[in-house]
Amino acid sequence: MAEALRVGIAGLGTVGASVARVLRDKAAELTRQCGRDIVVSAVSARDPKRDRGVDLNAAKWFDDPVKMAQAAEIDVFVELIGGDEGPAFAAVRAALEAGRHVVTANKALLAKHGVVLAEIAEKKGVLLNYEAAVAGGIPVIKTMREAMAGNSVTRVFGILNGTCNYILTRMEAEGISFDACLKDAQRLGYAEADPTFDIEGHDTAHKLSILTSLAFGTKIAANDIYMEGISNITQADIRAAGDLGYRIKLLGVAQRTESGIEQRVHPTMVPTASVIAQVHGVINAVAIETDILGELLLSGPGAGGNATASAVIGDIADIAKSRPGFQHGPVFGRPARELKPYRKAQMRSHAGGYFIRLTVHDRIGVFAAIAKRMADNDISLESIVQHAISGEVAAQKTVILVTHETTEAAVRKAVDGITKDGHLTDKPQVIRIERAG
Ligand SMILES: NC(=O)c1ccc[n+]([C@@H]2O[C@H](COP(=O)([O-])OP(=O)(O)OC[C@H]3O[C@@H](n4cnc5c(N)ncnc54)[C@H](OP(=O)(O)O)[C@@H]3O)[C@@H](O)[C@H]2O)c1
């Protein structure tokens, strides 16, 4: 049997400790599958005394993950520290430069430094595997990088943040407010104490930027993503969406258009009957549309120690199975130096349907004025409905418009016009509608 693959794990938190436990519990099965043993030979974290729920005494302890990355004791450096700079970046770079394979779950790191790290890995002939970085346990990287050779991707989109999907699911099911749902999510450990990163779309954007690169062969451009979070979604939106046959999801969408590549993260209305609308709670999903395959949807657990460990271990097992001297496939599906510059499509040119919810003074002429602003901007309406607002708020109405395909620029101009006309009593709400099968 080939020599054991020696793994160094940096970061022994939620994911790192799960990886160490599964490697121990599934050692015999992994040996059978990989044809060699996989052993944890080194570990690094901040606190050497903390109980990790798994016996790591046989592994050499390193206070400094960079030293571990360069140590002779390891063949694979597994980075589970997190963060886009600091020890994670320094150690991953050091490991690759020292000719060690790297496995990471760190989307923030890849969103920022992925191309540079891929160049080093490819120059050194080592693997940089990152299945767990996008959608946790769902094998989307492998699917896009390996199983879809020859396909040209036209659009990739997904529910990439479990916290947001959990909140939106509960808001719809229980009719409770965003704030109440968020508090509950925090209490149950589904949301961080500072939830901004998740609910404002940053986490989704990091993951999307990696999918975009894989889909379109472009350099990662995480800073160029249009982003809107879910914090301004109200019960009124959720109810109106339901009445119209839609469900609201926070989607990350990357799409090739005539004017470039759109990368956008925002609340989106998807048809209630679509497959992606059935993805509830903390579950993630990624849809990939290609010229040959059509639409593929993968869904499953996007976070959590074991689910994420499953993806990390799959990556480690691939390294264990790889033959010495074998030329590894490129990190982002094409050689890193051949990744094309990202040509951004401006959001103003985005084409699609729109849901617009307006709260207006209940007076004569308002409805006609709104319809005129739409017509002036060549927006054709699929429906326009007005309701009196029940309860104490007198003299106000809600007007809900659903447009046929139009452009973002036209919608913004029309809504600005309506705002200037002085008919609104509250901020207008605009939610994009996404085509989904
Ligand atoms: N949690 C998930 O469900 C999930 C899902 C997908 C991807 N990820 C990604 O996986 C990575 C790890 O996430 P996590 O949730 O496991 O994080 P975590 O629970 O906060 O664990 C982080 C670990 O890094 C260690 N660490 C921090 N600074 C260090 C340093 N300077 N040197 C060595 N070790 C250091 C910590 O040590 P101490 O324990 O001693 O403090 C801790 O063990 C992140 O990139 C995250 O984005 C997580």
Side-chain angles (χ1 to χ4, degrees), residues 66 69-71 74 92-101 120 124 126:
V66 176
Q70 297 160 326
I74 68 160
V92 166
R93 190 170 52 185
L96 294 172
E97 274 166 356
R100 308 274 185 274
H101 300 293
I120 304 173
K124 292 286 180 181
V126 292

Side-chain angles (χ1 to χ4, degrees), residues 54 62 65 227-228 253 260-261 302 317 387 390 428:
V54 50
F62 285 83
M227 214 163 57
E228 270 174 37
V253 186
I261 292 168
H387 306 276
S390 57

